[in-house]
Amino acid sequence: TLGFKHPLTLWLYDNLASLQQELGKLDEAEAGFRGVLVGRESLLGPDHTEVLQSMDHLAALLQMVGKLKEADQLLLRALELRTRKLGHVHPDVFECTGRLAALLAVMTRHQDAVALIKKALSSSEEAFGRSHPNTLQSLGSLAAILRDLGQQDEAEGLYRQALETAETNFGPIHETTMQVLDELASFLLEAGDPQEAKALLRQSLDAREAVSG
């Protein structure tokens, strides 16, 4: 018998909680994610990769069920732990920053969300330059928040800036370029320009077909 705190047991319970979430059994999933988080923290320490992953899972579920304040606290803690362990310019830190900023926007804490993303954007530009995928990801996150704030012109400008930078530095069939294409197409579709959105999606699809052969 392995016991509940064995890594394999915790992995199985984590997967079970994910399945319960997909099936809509959110109370059971929440209890499962909480148990796995406590078990992993006890076994592995607070800043282990699997512990941070458990925080992400639980925070996403809490956001889904409307427990936004607790989700915010959990993501903030995960971001602080990642930053302390990995530094300000690690991809995992940028990804966690984006999730937290998106949650803050949902909570209508838009200025906090914008400030968080701008800080990440500045750090990435300083460390890697304007054309780095991390920088472009932060630029896209900022554009999404501005879109939600109704600042459509500013958001569109950032999306187009990101696309121009990606195409210039990586070419048309790079994963970063294709991602930015998709983001701009989604924005334009919501903004009422389906014709250009369709053209961009076709461009993205053609690029993916070229990559896959």
Side-chain angles (χ1 to χ4, degrees):
T1 304
L2 298 177
F4 178 73
K5 290 188 178 181
H6 190 279
L8 178 58
T9 306
L10 291 168
W11 178 81
L12 290 170
Y13 271 101
D14 186 58
N15 280 274
L16 175 60
S18 296
L19 178 60
Q20 290 170 326
Q21 180 177 347
E22 290 180 12
L23 294 172
K25 299 179 178 180
L26 301 183
D27 290 340
E28 294 94 328
E30 181 179 339
F33 283 137
R34 289 186 187 278
V36 171
L37 176 56
V38 171
R40 282 178 169 169
E41 281 183 318
S42 175
L43 180 67
L44 303 170
D47 63 351
H48 190 277
T49 300
E50 292 183 15
V51 174
L52 298 172
Q53 182 185 64
S54 288
M55 289 182 183
D56 294 339
H57 291 172
L58 179 56
L61 178 63
L62 291 172
Q63 182 173 348
M64 181 183 295
V65 300
K67 298 180 180 179
L68 302 184
K69 185 175 182 180
E70 187 179 359
D72 171 34
Q73 293 170 343
L74 196 59
L75 277 181
L76 180 59
R77 181 179 164 210
L79 178 59
E80 290 171 346
L81 288 169
R82 281 188 169 97
T83 303
R84 189 184 309 159
K85 180 179 181 180
L86 304 171
H88 290 278
V89 293
H90 192 278
D92 289 352
V93 173
F94 286 114
E95 186 177 345
C96 188
T97 299
R99 286 195 297 270
L100 178 56
L103 174 59
L104 292 173
V106 170
M107 298 171 72
T108 67
R109 292 172 54 187
H110 295 109
Q111 297 308 315
D112 291 337
V114 169
L116 188 65
I117 290 297
K118 283 186 174 180
K119 181 179 178 181
L121 180 60
S122 176
S123 296
S124 185
E125 285 183 346
E126 183 178 348
F128 304 121
R130 293 187 175 184
S131 63
H132 193 275
N134 287 340
T135 305
L136 296 176
Q137 180 181 358
S138 294
L139 200 62
S141 297
L142 179 57
I145 293 171
L146 293 176
R147 176 199 63 202
D148 293 342
L149 283 171
Q151 299 177 25
Q152 304 296 323
D153 291 341
E154 293 88 339
E156 182 176 347
L158 290 178
Y159 280 128
R160 292 191 184 279
Q161 177 186 335
L163 179 58
E164 181 181 356
T165 302
E167 288 180 330
T168 299
N169 289 275
F170 303 118
I173 60 173
H174 191 275
E175 181 60 36
T176 299
T177 304
M178 291 184 282
Q179 180 180 342
V180 178
L181 273 171
D182 293 343
E183 290 174 353
L184 177 56
S186 176
F187 169 82
L188 291 172
L189 195 59
E190 291 182 11
D193 189 354
Q195 186 172 357
E196 186 179 1
K198 183 178 179 180
L200 291 173
L201 288 174
R202 168 52 59 184
Q203 184 179 341
S204 176
L205 179 60
D206 290 344
R208 285 181 164 85
E209 290 178 347
V211 170
S212 63

